[in-house]
C-alpha cells in the first residue's frame, strides 16, 4: 500500500485491469478486513448471473498478521417460483402449439436436470440447449432436439423462428444462441427463468420472468396440461437423431472423423466426461458424442483455445472413476499439451484425441472467406504427438487411417493411464459430412 502509484516493481491497478470484465473488483487494504472481503467476493461471484470477482492483495498487506475472525460464507439466494407464477406459466404452456424449451447456464444440479427433462417428456415439450451445454439433457431423451448456437442443426434454427412460445431456463435470448440476434419470432410468447433480475444476457421481449435458478424452478414445475402439437416435437426429435448420426467413411485422406466419432460414441460410458477447446475439431465432438448424464461436458463458451486438455486432466483427478475423453485440435493441443505432465504425475487417466490437420483450421477458413488467396500464418509444423505423449510416460500412438483407429482406441482405453491418439486428417475437410 505504501508504494501505490510509484511505478513500483510489478505494480498495476486491479480495478483498471479487470474492471470492465469482472462483476466486482476488491482490494484488501487492511489485513483485518481480508476475511470479510473474501466472503463478499464469493457471494457476489455466485449471486444472480454468476461471474468472476477479483480480489487484489497488496504485497505489504499480504504479510500483515491479524487476529480478526474468519467470516462465515454468505448464503446465495436461489429464488423461487410463486404459485401465481406457476399458474401463469401453466396457462401459457397450455395455449402453445409449438413451444420450445431452451436450457443452459449455471447452478444446475443432476436432480434438477433430470426433473426438468422428465417434465418435458410428460408434457411432450421439445427441449433444446444453448451452445455447449447439451449435457443438461440426456441425449437419449425423446424430448431432446439438439443445441442452438454455432454448428446447430438448421432444422432447430428454423424452429426458433417458428415457435409460438419460448421458455428459457438458466439462459436467455443471446448472440450465439440466436445466430447474431436474427432468430426467433417477435410474436412468440417468451418466458425466462433466471436468478438475474436484470436479465443482462436476454435481448428480446419478456412476458414472464421467474426469478429463480434452475434447481428452484425444477422444484416448482407446473403439473401436466394440454399437450402441444405432437407432430412439432416429433419432427424436431427426428431431425436431431439424423443430425447426430455420423456419415459413413468417405474414404478420403487420413482418418475420417465422422467414422472415428461413431466408433468413439459406442465406447463412451454413460457417465463419460467429454472436453474440448475452440476450433473446427470441436464440431465433430459436440455433434456426435452423446451426453447421458449431468455434468459431463467441459468446453469454453467464449472461443478460448487450449481449454480441453487441462480440463480433461482436472476432470480425471476430480472424478477418478469416470471415463474422460478430450478432443483437441493440433493448435489447441500445442497451447497446453504439457499438462500431460500433471496427468502422469498425479495418476489422471484422460484420453486425448489430437486432430492434426496441420493448420489453425478455423482461422484459415476465415482467411479464405474474407481474403481469398491471402492465407497467412496459419500453417503448423507439428511433432509426433504420440511420441510426445510417450516422453511424459503416457500411452501414445499415431493413427493415419480410419482402418487403424478402432484398435488404437481400444489400446488407449485399456492402457489404464493417460493416453494420446494423434489423428492425421485431411486438411481440406473442416466439417462433418453433409454440413
Amino acid at each position: 500500500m505504501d508504494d501505490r502509484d510509484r511505478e513500483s516493481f510489478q505494480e498495476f491497478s486491479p480495478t483498471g485491469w479487470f474492471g470492465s470484465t469482472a462483476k466486482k473488483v476488491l482490494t484488501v487494504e487492511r489485513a483485518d478486513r481480508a476475511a470479510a472481503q473474501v466472503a463478499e467476493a464469493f457471494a457476489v461471484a455466485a449471486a444472480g448471473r454468476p461471474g468472476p470477482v477479483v480480489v487484489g492483495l497488496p504485497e505489504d498487506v499480504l504479510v500483515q498478521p491479524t487476529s480478526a475472525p474468519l467470516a462465515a460464507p454468505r448464503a446465495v439466494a436461489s429464488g423461487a417460483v410463486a404459485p401465481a407464477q406457476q399458474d401463469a406459466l401453466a396457462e401459457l404452456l397450455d395455449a402453445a402449439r409449438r413451444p420450445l424449451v431452451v436450457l443452459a447456464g449455471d447452478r444446475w444440479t443432476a436432480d434438477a436436470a433430470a426433473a426438468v427433462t422428465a417434465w418435458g417428456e410428460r408434457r411432450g415439450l421439445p427441449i433444446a440447449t444453448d451452445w455447449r451445454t447439451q449435457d443438461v439433457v440426456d441425449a437419449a431423451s425423446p424430448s431432446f432436439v439438439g443445441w442452438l448456437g454455432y454448428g446447430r442443426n438448421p432444422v432447430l434454427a428454423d424452429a426458433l423462428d417458428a415457435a409460438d412460445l419460448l421458455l428459457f431456463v438458466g439462459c436467455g435470448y443471446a448472440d450465439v444462441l440466436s445466430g447474431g440476434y436474427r432468430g426467433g419470432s417477435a410474436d412468440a410468447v417468451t418466458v425466462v427463468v433466471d436468478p438475474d433480475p436484470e436479465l443482462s444476457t436476454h435481448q428480446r421481449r419478456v412476458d414472464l420472468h421467474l426469478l429463480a435458478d434452475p434447481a428452484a424452478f425444477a422444484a416448482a414445475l407446473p403439473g401436466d396440461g394440454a399437450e402441444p402439437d405432437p407432430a412439432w416435437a416429433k419432427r424436431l426429435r427426428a431431425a436431431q437423431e439424423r443430425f447426430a448420426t455420423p456419415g459413413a467413411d468417405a474414404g478420403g485422406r487420413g482418418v475420417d472423423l465422422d467414422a472415428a466419432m461413431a466408433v468413439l460414441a459406442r465406447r463412451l460410458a454413460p457417465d463419460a466426461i467429454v472436453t474440448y477447446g475452440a476450433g473446427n475439431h470441436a464440431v465433430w465432438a459436440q455433434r456426435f458424442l452423446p451426453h447421458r448424464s449431468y455434468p459431463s461436458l467441459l468446453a469454453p463458451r467464449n472461443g478460448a483455445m487450449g481449454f480441453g486438455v487441462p480440463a480433461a486432466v482436472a476432470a480425471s483427478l476430480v472424478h477418478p472413476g469416470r471415463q474422460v475423453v478430450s478432443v483437441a485440435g493440433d493448435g489447441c493441443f500445442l497451447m497446453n499439451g504439457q499438462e500431460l505432465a500433471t496427468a502422469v504425475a498425479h495418476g489422471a487417466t484422460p484420453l486425448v484425441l489430437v486432430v492434426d490437420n496441420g493448420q489453425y483450421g478455423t482461422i484459415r477458413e476465415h482467411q479464405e472467406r474474407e481474403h481469398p488467396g491471402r492465407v497467412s500464418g496459419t500453417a503448423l509444423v507439428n511433432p509426433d504427438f504420440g511420441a510426445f505423449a510417450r516422453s511424459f510416460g503416457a500411452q501414445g500412438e499415431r493413427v493415419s487411417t480410419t482402418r487403424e483407429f478402432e484398435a488404437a482406441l481400444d489400446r488407449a482405453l485399456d492402457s489404464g493411464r493417460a493416453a494420446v491418439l494423434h489423428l492425421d486428417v485431411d486438411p481440406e475437410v473442416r466439417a462433418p459430412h453433409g454440413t
Side-chain angles (χ1 to χ4, degrees), residues 127-129 134 137-147 236-237 240:
I127 302 177
T129 69
Q134 57 266 37
V137 187
D138 184 342
S141 169
S143 282
F144 181 59
V145 296
W147 77 91
L236 296 181
R237 174 60 185 174
Q240 165 59 18

Side-chain angles (χ1 to χ4, degrees), residues 184-420:
S185 169
D187 295 328
V189 173
T190 303
V191 181
V192 184
V193 182
D194 197 302
D196 177 12
E198 298 180 355
L199 291 183
S200 50
T201 61
H202 180 74
Q203 303 296 324
R204 62 167 285 134
R205 65 185 276 182
V206 180
D207 296 277
L208 179 62
H209 177 196
L210 307 184
L211 199 64
D213 67 15
F217 175 69
L221 293 166
D224 297 345
E227 185 177 345
D229 180 1
W232 164 254
K234 288 179 181 178
R235 181 174 67 84
L236 296 181
R237 174 60 185 174
Q240 165 59 18
E241 290 176 342
R242 290 192 300 271
F243 189 69
T245 301
D249 185 355
R253 171 180 164 192
V255 176
D256 183 291
L257 287 178
D258 278 51
M261 291 298 116
V263 173
L264 177 57
R266 293 194 296 269
R267 300 293 197 278
L268 287 181
D271 65 345
I273 299 171
V274 177
T275 80
Y276 38 84
N280 284 22
H281 68 277
V283 175
W284 280 269
Q286 69 184 23
R287 181 166 168 179
F288 298 132
L289 298 184
H291 295 272
R292 301 299 312 279
S293 63
Y294 178 85
S296 60
L297 172 60
L298 295 170
R301 302 188 66 240
N302 62 350
M305 294 179 65
F307 177 87
V309 173
V313 174
S316 184
L317 291 173
V318 173
H319 300 284
R322 294 175 66 177
Q323 186 184 61
V324 180
V325 176
S326 184
V327 181
D330 44 357
C332 212
F333 182 86
L334 284 169
M335 292 184 174
N336 286 313
Q338 74 280 358
E339 292 301 334
L340 286 174
T342 304
V344 172
H346 295 280
T349 59
L351 165 64
V352 182
L353 307 184
V354 182
V355 178
D356 180 5
N357 60 4
Q359 61 190 343
Y360 291 113
T362 304
I363 299 172
R364 178 168 180 171
E365 196 169 45
H366 293 329
Q367 291 176 339
E368 291 175 345
R369 183 180 65 244
E370 304 296 335
H371 307 285
R374 295 175 59 191
V375 171
S376 174
T378 48
L380 294 171
V381 178
N382 290 321
D384 183 321
F385 293 111
F388 180 79
R390 293 194 299 275
S391 74
F392 287 93
Q395 168 86 0
E397 287 192 52
R398 187 165 193 161
V399 182
S400 297
T401 68
T402 306
R403 185 178 61 256
E404 299 170 341
F405 176 75
E406 187 166 6
L409 175 64
D410 288 341
R411 287 191 292 271
L413 292 174
D414 292 341
S415 69
R417 52 182 172 153
V420 170

Side-chain angles (χ1 to χ4, degrees), residues 102-180:
V102 184
L103 312 181
D106 301 285
R107 296 166 68 172
W108 283 92
T109 65
D111 288 343
V116 173
T117 300
W119 172 73
E121 292 173 357
R122 290 195 305 272
R123 293 201 60 140
L125 299 173
I127 302 177
T129 69
D130 198 356
W131 186 56
R132 295 187 167 182
T133 62
Q134 57 266 37
D135 58 336
V136 178
V137 187
D138 184 342
S141 169
S143 282
F144 181 59
V145 296
W147 77 91
L148 291 160
Y150 300 129
R152 63 188 178 180
N153 186 345
V155 174
L156 184 57
D158 292 341
L160 186 65
D161 294 330
D164 60 5
L165 181 144
L166 295 171
L167 170 57
F168 296 100
V169 183
C171 61
Y173 180 89
D175 177 21
V176 175
L177 179 149
S178 63

